Structure formats: C-alpha cells, structure tokens
Amino acid sequence: MPGQPPARRTVLKGAALAGAAGLGVAACSTESKVGHAENPTPTAPVDLGAADAVPVGGAKLYREQRLVVHCPAKGQYKAFSAQCTHAGCVLDKLEGTEGNCPCHGSRFDVTTGKALVGPATVPLPEVPVRTEDGRLVAGPDA
C-alpha cells in the first residue's frame, strides 16, 4: 500500500543484496588480490620449453606460468604477462593473436599487450624473454 513503510523482510533483503554487491565490487577491483598472483611477471627465470613451439607470426599461451609469447619472425620473441590487468585472472585461450580473459571478457592483442576490449584498459606488462640452447626463458636474467 502506498504511504506505508516497507516490510522488515523487504529491508533485510535489500541490505543483504547490497552487501553481496559490495563483495563483488571488491573481488573485481583492480586492487583485488583474489585469485591471481601478487606479481604479474616472473621474478626469476622461467623455462618455457622449446622455442619452436611458438609458431612464427603466432603466439602461445603458457597459462600455468602466466605468460604469453609471440613470435613476430623466426628467432624473435616477445613475451607478456598473461594476467589480466583488470582483475588479475589468467587468460584462458588465444584466438589467433588475441588473448581472452574468462572472468569479465577483456581481450588483449598479444603481439603488443594492448587491451582491445574492456573492462581492462591497461596493457599486459611486457616480460623479458630470450632463447638459450633452443629453449625459451622468460623473466629476469639469472
């Protein structure tokens, strides 16, 4: 009925929903540490395996190591963190040279790191990468 205060149950439901929404915002914020590594790039060298596993002109996702490597030309490699710059989820797949974040749909150009589709707006951080005896090693020099 108009003019009557809302029922206690309605007020409690609204309060519960507002609290749950607040938790969602915290989990999705760029400051959140939920579900991702604190350091998005390696702090020590990481052996990624055979360099020729990355196709020339293409890219390879190393999801477990949270890295993506692009090979623009034979013997040349460029690596980026595979951790989304929006909420920190790890990219789950590549479609050509576009990386997909499964959490909120952000997409990245893995040849440049650039955010193509939001909510992410910050590019993926570049990671040093080199070849040693035909193997890719990402991260800082030992």
Side-chain angles (χ1 to χ4, degrees), residues 21-86:
L23 287 174
V25 169
C28 294
S29 77
T30 54
E31 298 301 312
S32 172
K33 299 295 180 225
V34 178
H36 66 297
E38 190 170 319
N39 294 315
T41 60
T43 56
V46 177
D47 184 335
L48 298 175
D52 61 8
V54 182
V56 175
K60 180 173 168 82
L61 177 62
Y62 296 88
R63 195 163 197 273
E64 200 169 297
Q65 293 84 2
R66 298 174 186 260
L67 295 166
V68 62
V69 178
H70 166 61
C71 179
K74 187 169 175 65
Q76 296 178 8
Y77 301 93
K78 213 169 176 184
F80 296 93
S81 168
Q83 187 170 307
C84 179
T85 57
H86 168 246

Side-chain angles (χ1 to χ4, degrees), residues 79-122:
F80 296 93
S81 168
Q83 187 170 307
C84 179
T85 57
H86 168 246
C89 297
V90 178
L91 303 181
D92 68 341
K93 64 183 173 184
L94 297 180
E95 293 175 7
T97 55
E98 240 180 69
N100 178 70
C101 177
C103 293
H104 303 107
S106 292
R107 294 184 70 81
F108 296 89
D109 178 339
V110 298
T111 68
T112 64
K114 181 181 176 185
L116 301 172
V117 175
T121 57
V122 176

